[in-house]
Amino acid sequence: MGGTPPGPQPESIRFFGTTWVDHTDRYGLRRVGVAAGSLAAAAAGCLVLRFAYQGLEIADVGAFVNLLVVIMFAICSAIAFRRTWEGFGKRHDPQSVAQMRSLMMIGFIGSLLAYFFRSLKEAPGEKLHREEYEKARVQYEKRTARRAGHPSKRKRRK
């Protein structure tokens, strides 16, 4: 019969599902794969940006524009790294996520690098999900411990 156990259920993490709870089902191998994949994607992104920079040089737009583009990608990548890294420890409100979406897309290399570095320690977002899950489990245990069975079967005080 199995079924779903009572109480709160762990939230799924991309690429890990719910294996982060007890580190089963090749969890370590998944972390290695995520780290390698995010680093490879960051390297590929750098290569694409290099081609774009070469296109600007061929177009002869000038040193000032080239410098602005490099500075823009560096700043956006730094902000994306910081924001992604902070997102592994606390949830951002949906409105700020929507407002930062274009900046995060420009600074995608920073996000990929944050994902890489975090996956060296744990599944990205595991700490946040574990804290939320443990808190929900404790609250559930408190709620169920207070119950004393079926109310209609209780003896009445006289």
Side-chain angles (χ1 to χ4, degrees), residues 1 8 10 32 34 36 42 48 67-68 70 76 91 94 96 105 122 124 128 130 132 143-144 158:
M1 299 262 222
V32 169
V34 165
V48 168
L67 183 65
L68 282 178
V70 169
C76 289
R91 293 195 186 267
S96 72
M105 286 181 3
E122 65 182 7
L128 173 66
R130 189 170 301 283
E132 291 174 348
R143 280 194 317 267
T144 57
K158 293 183 181 183

Side-chain angles (χ1 to χ4, degrees), residues 16 26-36 119-123:
F16 294 92
R26 298 185 302 268
Y27 169 82
L29 190 60
R30 288 175 189 228
R31 272 192 33 218
V32 169
V34 165
S119 61
L120 294 177
K121 180 181 176 189
E122 65 182 7

Side-chain angles (χ1 to χ4, degrees), residues 23-138:
H23 295 185
T24 57
D25 198 23
R26 298 185 302 268
Y27 169 82
L29 190 60
R30 288 175 189 228
R31 272 192 33 218
V32 169
V34 165
S38 60
L39 188 61
C46 287
L47 187 64
V48 168
L49 289 178
R50 174 70 182 149
F51 290 145
Y53 183 78
Q54 286 177 342
L56 289 174
E57 284 181 340
I58 291 170
D60 196 26
V61 292
F64 182 70
V65 173
N66 286 341
L67 183 65
L68 282 178
V69 168
V70 169
I71 290 172
M72 178 208 42
F73 274 106
I75 290 172
C76 289
S77 290
I79 292 171
F81 180 92
R82 185 182 57 92
R83 188 152 172 88
T84 303
W85 191 265
E86 288 174 352
F88 295 142
K90 67 175 182 144
R91 293 195 186 267
H92 296 294
D93 63 299
Q95 185 179 6
S96 72
V97 170
Q99 290 174 346
M100 297 291 282
R101 186 168 290 133
S102 57
L103 186 134
M104 296 292 284
M105 286 181 3
I106 294 169
F108 68 99
I109 292 175
S111 285
L112 289 169
L113 289 176
Y115 215 77
F116 166 73
F117 286 121
R118 186 54 134 197
S119 61
L120 294 177
K121 180 181 176 189
E122 65 182 7
E126 178 179 344
K127 180 181 176 186
L128 173 66
H129 285 78
R130 189 170 301 283
E131 288 172 357
E132 291 174 348
Y133 178 61
E134 293 300 324
K135 184 178 177 183
R137 293 290 302 171
V138 167

